[in-house]
Amino acid sequence: ENVLELREVVAAYGPDMEPAVKGVDLAVPKRGHVAIVGPSGAGKTTMFSLILRFLRPQNGELYLGGRPYGEYTHDELRAHLAYVEQEAPIVPGTIRENLLFTHPDASEEELREVLGEVRLLEKIDSLDDGLDTPLSSTAVSGGERQRIALARAILRSPDVLLLDEATAQVDALTEAAIHDCIRRRASTGAVVTIAHRLSTVLDADTIVVMEAGRVRAIGDHERLLATD
Ligand code: ADP
Ligand code: ADP
């Protein structure tokens, strides 16, 4: 059964513009990791914008849990989806404060569990100076910020976790932590990632190769390499 489906979705950024997504079908099963790969301009980010309903399709329809998007309010929809941006915003303060900022009701146990999962538990009370001030010696690194954003996203146990280029510019420890986290989350829910390079998502259950707004190929990496 699919948690998320796109059927013949066409989307453009303006009425007279060439569509950025040109008739895409996509099925995201309730469990597993679906990776969308392709060169810059392929339409990957636009797919995320459609899934998050930042952008409405010109044609076609999206479904969540078998129901068309139109039946959901914005809040209902967003309760099922969690999104980790490429450059996720961080509030000034500790890692604990960052999680509590978006999830004020989270228990200590929940905080510790997700921070353990992204390997930040020992830094729970480390300070970050925020995005607008120079980082101090106690500040967390870019990779740690990425893991804070991921911890924030998984704290809600979303049905669908969306990660945009999560491992594009991070240190090896962060890459490994994110990778493990994706695997663990994909065993109980759906994870959808965007990646420029196929090499970073070889273990995804399904790889969707996009090019110029269309799906060019789909399958696990063995199948994709066999048909290339
Ligand atoms: P990436 O390949 O990492 O998605 P891009 O350079 O394609 O990066 O896009 C960076 C940002 O600029 C995205 O938010 C995208 O929506 C926006 N963008 C890309 N192309 C255009 C465009 N032609 N007009 C306006 N915004 C654009
Ligand atoms: P990718 O994420 O694969 O790099 P995008 O979805 O960002 O691709 O872009 C797909 C197409 O849509 C590109 O031609 C890009 O220039 C265009 N595009 C993306 N964002 C915008 C935007 N905000 N306004 C206008 N065009 C955009």
Side-chain angles (χ1 to χ4, degrees):
E1 204 185 336
N2 299 318
V3 61
L4 196 66
E5 266 184 63
L6 279 71
R7 289 190 207 146
E8 293 176 41
V9 168
V10 178
Y13 287 93
D16 302 323
M17 289 182 71
E18 194 187 341
V21 165
K22 301 170 182 165
V24 164
D25 290 293
L26 179 73
V28 177
K30 272 189 168 174
R31 279 181 253 300
H33 174 194
V34 175
I36 302 172
V37 302
S40 199
K44 306 181 298 293
T45 309
T46 305
M47 294 277 282
F48 265 26
S49 300
L50 288 160
I51 292 169
L52 292 159
R53 207 154 71 177
F54 296 153
L55 182 69
R56 307 274 177 154
Q58 274 181 332
N59 274 301
E61 181 62 278
L62 289 89
Y63 300 83
L64 179 75
R67 287 168 53 204
Y69 263 36
E71 291 183 12
Y72 292 89
T73 66
H74 180 77
D75 287 349
E76 283 168 354
L77 194 65
R78 291 307 301 272
H80 295 277
L81 312 171
Y83 170 47
V84 182
E85 295 166 74
Q86 235 178 85
E87 308 226 338
I90 300 293
V91 297
T94 63
I95 292 177
R96 179 196 303 282
E97 284 161 353
N98 263 275
L99 297 190
L100 288 175
F101 184 75
T102 39
H103 307 287
D105 300 330
S107 69
E108 182 67 17
E109 197 183 340
E110 288 170 322
L111 294 182
R112 298 185 78 83
E113 189 194 322
V114 294
L115 287 176
E117 199 167 327
V118 300
R119 302 189 202 166
L120 277 179
L121 188 51
E122 73 286 2
K123 300 215 168 159
I124 188 165
D125 290 310
S126 291
L127 276 170
D128 182 82
D129 290 351
L131 292 174
D132 298 321
T133 51
L135 297 177
S136 73
S137 56
T138 56
V140 298
S141 70
E144 285 165 353
R145 283 163 176 244
Q146 194 68 26
R147 282 182 277 150
I148 293 170
L150 181 58
R152 221 192 245 149
I154 62 177
L155 194 49
R156 279 171 31 206
S157 296
D159 296 336
V160 185
L161 175 64
L162 300 156
L163 302 178
D164 188 354
E165 291 284 352
T167 57
Q169 289 158 352
V170 299
D171 56 281
L173 172 70
T174 297
E175 189 171 346
I178 291 175
H179 195 267
D180 289 353
C181 186
I182 290 173
R183 285 304 339 150
R184 193 170 308 113
R185 290 284 148 179
S187 68
T188 57
V191 181
V192 184
T193 61
I194 289 180
H196 270 107
R197 287 171 300 127
L198 187 59
S199 59
T200 56
V201 291
L202 284 180
D203 68 336
D205 302 297
T206 305
I207 299 169
V208 178
V209 182
M210 287 194 69
E211 206 183 290
R214 293 197 165 88
V215 174
R216 285 280 171 229
I218 190 158
D220 63 19
H221 85 272
E222 280 174 20
R223 181 153 153 213
L224 288 180
L225 293 177
T227 52
D228 251 9

